[in-house]
Amino acid sequence: MNNDRTRTSPGRAADPRRRARRPVRRAGLLGSEPELITHHVHNGTEPDDPPTVPILRPRRGQPPSRPRPTTAADLRKRRWRRIRRIAYVAAGLFFVVPAIAFLVTYLAVDVPSPENVAQAQGQAVTYLFSDGTEMGKDVPSGGNRQILAPNQIPDVVKKAVIATEDASFETNSGFDVSGILRAAYNQVTGGSGGGSTISQQYIKNASGDDEPTLSRKWVELAKSFKMNQTYEKADIITAYLNIIYFGRGAYGIQAAAQAFFGKDVGQLDYSQAALLAGLIQQPGRSENTAVATSRWTTALDRMLKNGYLTPAQRAAAKFPAPIPLRESRQAGALNPFLKKQVRAELAAQGIDEKQYYSGGFQVFTTIDPRAQQAAEKAVAEGMADQTDDRILSALVAVDPKTGGVLAYYGGDPIVKGPNGEDQAGRDWADEPHNPGSSMKPFDLAAFLKLGRGLDARFDGTSPRTFPGVDLPIRNAGDSSSCSQQCTVAEAMQRSTNTVFYDMVLNVTKPSGVAEAAQEAGIRTTENGGRSTLFTGDNNISIGGGGTQVTAADMASGYATFAAGGVQRDRHFVQKVTNANGETAYEAKIRSTDAFADNDPQKSAQIAGNVTAALAPVIPFSRLTCPAGHECAGKTGTQQHTPQNDEPASAANANSQTWMVGYTPSVSAAVWVGGDGDKALRGPGGGPLFGSTLAGPMWNRFMQLYLTGRPAERFTRVQAISSPQDRVQVQVQPQQEQPQQQQQQRNSVDFGDRGNRQQNDQLEQLRQFQQRLQQLQDQQRGRRRP
């Protein structure tokens, strides 16, 4: 019997190297007790948690063994293993994948050359009349620029731009990580400043794409990096300086040197270079002296910080005043005043000064060639006989149905300077002036908004004193005075100052007039316009004092009356197309009920009553409507304030005159006056009036423009009336003021003057009363059950 515990195969000796196996104890048969079946898995409930220390199956011939317990160190190792694996995945997502994508983008993009960029940026803008015929071209001053080589641009210019725009230019690879992070931080915290390098700015300007999108920025970074891998730094800064915009229509450093200093770039000193470098950030404000000075200071400080200037040079630097901006460089190419208005309108719509010359745009304006020609001819004929060279003029016509400007004449674009030299003229159509009595229709609109009517009665005698008013209020002569029971309708026809002063002071208040004028379309300085509606005193009622309005605003305001109380924004541009014929911008006509929110019938009724009051003013002022066309309007005159060194006759002179009138299809404003308060005289030495020079100009324009066009009539509306308007006015007799006070009445005496024969006055009054009676009869007829 073999006592060895190790089994062997028959005929095979036992291997002494093999470890004897311990016999496995079997349950039951070997006498060991079976384990109790107490686990949940056996009784049909949920399974137990796994044992803390699992039992491993032993290898054949080995006894079962238990592994050592898991320690805290083992758990930490497992956690860090998981973290490393997640980090590897994140690195792949955030670094490897973007790197591959960046490589693909890098291989796919090209860096545009300065020559191609210059060709795209230097495209002229073509202006078209409303009928599609060409008006003219706006050629950029940089259109004939020269693409310079690196050795043609002095180091002082390059260093000024590098210090101001990208201090790390010499060392970065096309983008600056710290700059990008700084820009991101500024955006989050509301700060200012970007992170674009010179290379990135070049790419952005070369592509013309400035959309704040991640895809655009991604491509920009790839192109910037490729540019720095392809070109030398000297070539990159040169390319940048050849295409960047500096203001004044100048693209490229050579064009900028000519536009701002009248010299070649090689002749610029460090102070001039600093100004141009500073203007890169704000080229559209190059004519703002405060902004230009601030940017010049910033550029010099950064040049000093980067070691490009010595402290002595920085201390000695003086601001290099640019040469005067001359519109005469493009004289004859396009009306500069019209171009100014169009460019301002496009800038407000997102086509700024930088993009203006880069799109090959065609600008379809609202200007009617027939109306523009009629405006220029009417002004030329009216001014032909004037001997006072201080007299200036402007004419603006607006389409009441669209708000589009039909004609725009702001005066001579080129005038003589004090030494006989040519210099740019001023746009007098966009300069505010005292409107005089042409402001009274807005007084009336405010009055009608309160439910009062044309049959309301006021004391129209002159002079009159009012509580709290130092000087008496006077009418402008016998023809402007009215009775003690003067209706508003007659007061408008005669332009009776005392009535409208009383109306505003005691009924509408100055704020009511200002509100009505703005509702009609007057753009004040508070809402982006040029006009001022001063409500600190009552002079707004007769268009004097601090109230000043532009001719363009007067044409727009009266256009709202012509349109039956519908106000439409004044604009010069119908649409803009790019070089591919695609629409880049198209005007949207916004219409509002001017004098009554969400009540077009009431707004139309108010405007119609204003028109009924203004219609008799035309014949009363010895003007006529074009054949077949109904028209309405109002003259205006601002009296000159005599100075101590002027003769006594200066007290009877006027400084501003107006005629504003309309038909259903056109509203036109004519201003004739001086630059400030000048005692203007006509050819015979007599004073100017709205009815004697501005009126005939308006009359001539309307005749030229509307003759042969379909006949027009205003829409009839109900007359507005109130029971209190029939109350008789109680008038106290007044003493005539001394002669000295009469000479001091200038601050409140702004009415129209003129000598009218008595029979003409009675006839015009009879016609108006007949028209008013028709309106009232119509109103009563509609009220009958």
Side-chain angles (χ1 to χ4, degrees):
M1 175 179 288
N2 189 355
N3 294 327
D4 188 4
R5 295 181 180 177
T6 304
R7 294 183 181 179
T8 60
S9 300
R12 184 175 179 182
D15 189 349
R17 295 172 298 178
R18 178 174 296 181
R19 184 177 178 180
R21 291 191 302 174
R22 179 182 295 177
V24 178
R25 299 174 64 182
R26 301 180 182 271
L29 294 176
L30 296 180
S32 61
E33 291 295 330
E35 295 181 355
L36 293 177
I37 303 176
T38 60
H39 299 294
H40 294 284
V41 70
H42 297 293
N43 59 21
T45 63
E46 294 297 326
D48 283 346
D49 292 332
T52 304
V53 181
I55 299 176
L56 302 179
R57 284 189 182 180
R59 293 183 182 177
R60 231 177 129 117
Q62 293 183 354
S65 61
R66 295 177 181 271
R68 66 180 178 82
T70 302
T71 65
D74 293 332
L75 295 176
R76 285 195 299 270
K77 289 181 180 179
R78 290 178 185 177
R79 284 196 298 269
W80 280 111
R81 190 185 305 107
R82 293 191 187 100
I83 292 174
R84 284 197 301 272
R85 290 172 180 172
I86 294 173
Y88 295 152
V89 173
L93 291 175
F94 289 98
F95 295 100
V96 178
V97 173
I100 295 174
F102 189 82
L103 178 61
V104 172
T105 307
Y106 176 90
L107 296 174
V109 299
D110 291 320
V111 178
S113 68
E115 290 78 9
N116 292 336
V117 176
Q119 183 179 3
Q121 287 180 336
Q123 300 179 65
V125 180
T126 303
Y127 282 61
L128 304 173
F129 285 108
S130 59
D131 63 357
T133 58
E134 184 171 323
M135 180 189 302
K137 292 183 182 294
D138 183 10
V139 181
S141 59
N144 57 353
R145 64 184 157 188
Q146 178 184 357
I147 299 299
L148 303 179
N151 60 358
Q152 293 178 294
I153 302 177
D155 286 342
V156 67
V157 174
K158 297 177 184 177
K159 291 177 178 178
V161 173
I162 290 172
T164 307
E165 291 296 308
D166 182 9
S168 67
F169 171 75
E170 297 288 352
T171 57
N172 66 51
S173 298
F175 54 87
D176 183 2
V177 176
S178 63
I180 295 174
L181 294 176
R182 184 170 59 254
Y185 175 78
N186 287 336
Q187 288 186 350
V188 172
T189 59
S192 61
S196 296
T197 63
I198 282 177
S199 301
Q200 289 175 268
Q201 290 185 51
Y202 173 86
I203 297 300
K204 181 168 60 179
N205 282 273
S207 63
D209 187 1
D210 196 19
E211 291 294 323
T213 60
L214 291 176
S215 59
R216 195 274 303 171
K217 197 68 175 179
W218 178 266
V219 174
E220 178 187 294
L221 290 174
K223 288 185 176 182
S224 300
F225 183 73
K226 188 169 188 175
M227 186 177 191
N228 279 262
Q229 303 303 309
T230 308
Y231 299 101
E232 298 291 335
K233 289 290 185 179
D235 295 322
I236 295 174
I237 186 64
T238 301
Y240 174 78
L241 288 171
N242 275 325
I243 72 164
I244 201 68
Y245 182 64
F246 292 88
R248 289 195 174 186
Y251 289 85
I253 190 64
Q254 174 66 8
Q258 290 288 345
F260 284 90
F261 301 111
K263 58 176 66 174
D264 292 331
V265 65
Q267 299 174 307
L268 296 177
D269 58 33
Y270 73 89
S271 183
Q272 294 167 335
L275 176 59
L276 295 182
L279 289 176
I280 291 175
Q281 286 294 323
Q282 296 188 350
R285 304 181 70 185
S286 60
E287 306 313 305
N288 186 314
T289 303
V291 173
T293 303
S294 174
R295 293 302 304 162
W296 170 76
T297 301
T298 298
L300 286 175
D301 290 343
R302 293 181 181 178
M303 291 174 72
L304 176 63
K305 180 179 178 181
N306 285 270
Y308 297 148
L309 287 182
T310 65
Q313 288 177 311
R314 176 64 185 91
K318 294 182 179 180
F319 183 75
I323 61 177
L325 179 61
R326 305 291 189 190
E327 287 285 355
S328 59
R329 290 181 175 180
Q330 297 182 18
L334 192 67
N335 185 306
F337 305 143
L338 176 61
K339 182 181 70 175
K340 178 192 69 174
Q341 296 292 337
V342 168
R343 292 184 64 169
E345 190 170 313
L346 294 181
Q349 300 300 327
I351 302 177
D352 60 16
E353 191 173 3
K354 185 182 297 183
Q355 297 172 304
Y356 178 74
Y357 289 116
S358 62
F361 292 126
Q362 283 191 317
V363 179
F364 292 79
T365 72
T366 61
I367 301 297
D368 184 325
R370 178 173 176 173
Q372 185 67 26
Q373 184 178 12
E376 294 174 0
K377 185 175 182 179
V379 172
E381 292 178 356
M383 296 290 290
D385 298 331
Q386 300 306 313
T387 56
D388 191 338
D389 58 6
R390 300 172 300 168
I391 297 177
L392 306 165
S393 57
L395 191 157
V396 181
V398 173
D399 185 349
K401 299 175 182 178
T402 66
V405 178
L406 299 172
Y408 192 86
Y409 176 80
D412 294 329
I414 303 175
V415 297
K416 293 296 183 181
N419 299 319
E421 76 280 10
D422 287 344
Q423 63 182 25
R426 288 170 63 183
D427 183 2
W428 296 108
D430 198 37
E431 292 288 337
H433 313 280
N434 286 125
S437 291
S438 63
M439 193 70 191
K440 290 173 181 174
F442 302 116
D443 299 349
L444 178 56
F447 188 67
L448 294 166
K449 286 177 61 179
L450 298 177
R452 305 295 296 274
L454 300 182
D455 53 350
R457 298 172 184 272
F458 291 85
D459 181 359
T461 59
S462 176
R464 288 186 60 192
T465 58
F466 293 90
V469 181
D470 295 335
L471 299 176
I473 306 303
R474 299 175 181 275
N475 296 325
D478 293 338
S479 64
S480 294
S481 292
C482 195
S483 69
Q484 295 178 347
Q485 302 296 328
C486 186
T487 65
V488 171
E490 185 179 355
M492 180 65 77
Q493 181 184 22
R494 294 177 175 275
S495 194
T496 306
N497 288 336
T498 54
V499 168
F500 287 95
Y501 196 92
D502 190 351
M503 175 192 295
V504 174
L505 181 67
N506 296 308
V507 183
T508 70
K509 307 303 180 183
S511 59
V513 178
E515 180 181 79
Q518 292 185 78
E519 290 171 341
I522 303 299
R523 299 176 181 174
T524 65
T525 54
E526 288 79 11
N527 57 22
R530 300 266 294 161
S531 299
T532 300
L533 299 172
F534 183 70
T535 58
D537 56 38
N538 202 50
N539 281 329
I540 190 175
S541 62
I542 43 182
T547 294
Q548 295 184 322
V549 186
T550 68
D553 275 346
M554 292 301 283
S556 296
Y558 277 50
T560 300
F561 299 136
V566 178
Q567 194 273 324
R568 298 179 174 94
D569 289 339
R570 181 177 71 251
H571 60 281
F572 290 81
V573 180
Q574 294 185 68
K575 69 175 182 177
V576 178
T577 59
N578 59 23
N580 298 322
E582 302 165 334
T583 300
Y585 163 71
E586 188 166 9
K588 297 180 181 179
I589 300 176
R590 185 187 66 86
S591 301
T592 59
D593 301 319
F595 307 115
D597 293 339
N598 302 318
D599 192 344
Q601 184 176 1
K602 181 178 180 181
S603 186
Q605 187 181 20
I606 292 171
N609 276 254
V610 172
T611 297
L614 295 180
V617 174
I618 300 298
F620 190 80
S621 301
R622 293 191 174 183
L623 303 174
T624 59
C625 299
H629 298 267
E630 290 187 340
C631 65
K634 186 72 185 74
T635 56
T637 303
Q638 168 68 29
Q639 189 175 15
H640 167 65
T641 302
Q643 303 300 313
N644 293 333
D645 58 348
E646 291 183 311
S649 60
N652 297 320
N654 297 317
S655 60
Q656 318 289 338
T657 65
W658 294 81
M659 173 59 200
V660 191
Y662 55 92
T663 70
S665 64
V666 58
S667 171
V670 177
W671 168 82
V672 178
D675 182 7
D677 189 0
K678 303 285 194 310
L680 303 179
R681 299 290 181 180
L688 297 181
F689 296 98
S691 60
T692 60
L693 185 52
M697 283 187 188
W698 176 88
N699 213 123
R700 181 60 171 155
F701 165 76
M702 300 296 274
Q703 297 287 349
L704 289 170
Y705 179 56
L706 292 176
T707 297
R709 298 204 169 208
E712 304 173 285
R713 294 188 66 199
F714 293 116
T715 301
R716 269 50 178 175
V717 298
Q718 292 181 351
I720 299 175
S721 183
S722 170
Q724 67 186 110
D725 293 337
R726 300 180 180 87
V727 178
Q728 298 295 302
V729 180
Q730 300 298 322
V731 182
Q732 298 295 329
Q734 301 184 37
Q735 298 293 330
E736 182 66 30
Q737 302 298 318
Q739 181 67 24
Q740 182 179 3
Q741 290 188 351
Q742 183 177 358
Q743 293 178 355
Q744 296 175 347
R745 70 185 186 277
N746 307 297
S747 63
V748 292
D749 186 5
F750 304 106
D752 296 331
R753 301 184 179 189
N755 295 320
R756 302 283 182 264
Q757 296 181 359
Q758 186 67 21
N759 56 348
D760 288 341
Q761 297 174 10
L762 294 175
E763 176 62 21
Q764 305 302 336
L765 179 59
R766 184 192 63 78
Q767 293 178 4
F768 171 74
Q769 289 174 335
Q770 181 180 5
R771 179 182 178 84
L772 180 60
Q773 186 64 44
Q774 291 173 352
L775 289 173
Q776 292 174 338
D777 290 344
Q778 183 180 5
Q779 180 186 19
R780 285 191 291 269
R782 292 183 181 181
R783 291 179 177 176
R784 291 171 184 166

